[in-house]
Amino acid sequence: MASGLSRFVELGRKIVCVGRNYSEHAAELGNKVPTEPVIFLKPTTSYLKEGNAITFPHGSDNLHHEVELGVVIGKPGFQIRESTAMEHIGGYTLALDMTARDIQDKMKKKGLPWTLAKGFDSSCPIGSFIPPDKIPDPHDIEIWLKVNDAMKQQGNTKNMIFKVPFLISFISQFMTLETGDLILTGTPSGVGPVSPGDVITCGLTGLATMTFTVNK
Ligand SMILES: O=C([O-])CC(=O)C(=O)O
Ligand SMILES: [Mg+2]
């Protein structure tokens, strides 16, 4: 489905990320379970296709993997109702929300934005485009990640706190969702550091896998 992939990568549309959308992940970083979605953006320059390496951002020694289900918007909308939100999904992809945890921790302490911790070049590795008919229910997918063959993250999208239609509706109350936009729906527990030379492999069971190496 190369055309589907190019539709969302080559248009260079925005990447809207949801944080703390799985309670075990909120807990493992000492955060409260949110009562409304935590939203942040990555710039389009953070996209990384397979075959290219993830690179440590400037000033970080603690780069974490976060594997996430990505939702690709197929029909634009502003203030979309939850009841019609699924009609706006054009497909899905596997994605990584690479995070400079040391920079994020510093910013969290100061109450400042996470942009540099989350938005550096190569912070959004993505897999190929998954057509919507392959995923009749986005809340019933096993999602996993290995670092050098050691299993680190194993979750299921059924454990999302805020479900996909709610997220689409919530985000679009504030910003227009455009065709090709990508929503990262948050990571399950098991996030952790990677080192230069590591190989990250991750997947949506039965649907997608992808592999990325890490560079200094
Ligand atoms: O950095 C974080 O912990 C927030 C986040 O992206 C997630 O939960 O997926
Ligand atoms: Mg994340």
Side-chain angles (χ1 to χ4, degrees):
M1 267 304 213
S3 60
L5 178 64
S6 57
R7 198 171 81 226
F8 78 96
V9 177
E10 279 150 30
L11 283 176
R13 295 296 191 191
K14 66 184 168 293
I15 305 162
V16 187
C17 305
V18 182
R20 303 176 186 164
N21 202 22
Y22 290 79
S23 49
E24 334 86 76
H25 170 62
E28 73 181 343
L29 293 184
N31 296 308
K32 289 203 186 98
V33 171
T35 52
E36 66 174 40
V38 174
I39 304 293
F40 57 93
L41 294 173
K42 286 179 188 277
T44 54
T45 41
S46 61
Y47 274 122
L48 190 74
K49 290 196 212 177
E50 260 190 297
N52 300 291
I54 297 165
T55 304
F56 269 69
H58 174 78
S60 175
D61 296 316
N62 190 12
L63 180 58
H64 273 204
H65 55 75
E66 295 190 358
V67 67
E68 308 199 4
L69 172 69
V71 175
V72 182
I73 297 299
K75 185 175 109 180
F78 179 62
Q79 299 187 333
I80 297 165
R81 275 176 288 124
E82 202 176 329
S83 59
T84 57
M86 293 300 284
E87 296 166 17
H88 292 262
I89 298 178
Y92 298 88
T93 190
L94 177 57
L96 287 169
D97 170 19
M98 295 305 297
T99 303
R101 198 69 73 197
D102 43 2
I103 297 175
Q104 187 194 34
D105 286 346
K106 210 162 68 185
M107 295 306 165
K108 273 160 81 174
K109 279 199 195 97
K110 294 185 190 168
L112 291 173
W114 303 348
T115 309
L116 300 180
K118 294 280 197 178
F120 55 91
D121 280 18
S122 83
S123 64
C124 189
I126 50 159
S128 45
F129 179 80
I130 304 169
D133 56 295
K134 289 264 165 61
I135 301 187
D137 179 8
H139 311 104
D140 183 23
I141 303 171
E142 283 174 28
I143 182 164
W144 57 270
L145 177 142
K146 291 179 183 178
V147 179
N148 304 329
D149 294 329
M151 191 63 82
K152 299 289 186 186
Q153 294 193 263
Q154 249 180 320
N156 191 298
T157 58
K158 70 174 185 228
N159 295 320
M160 281 184 202
I161 297 167
F162 302 106
K163 308 295 185 211
V164 172
F166 179 82
L167 291 171
I168 291 173
S169 177
F170 181 82
I171 294 162
S172 73
Q173 299 309 307
F174 299 87
M175 61 185 91
T176 299
L177 287 170
E178 298 169 282
T179 300
D181 283 353
L182 177 63
I183 300 174
L184 300 195
T185 55
T187 195
S189 60
V191 302
V194 292
S195 305
D198 281 351
V199 178
I200 300 174
T201 309
C202 53
L204 301 169
T205 302
L207 294 164
T209 57
M210 64 182 191
T211 300
F212 287 88
T213 55
V214 181
N215 272 355
K216 185 62 203 167

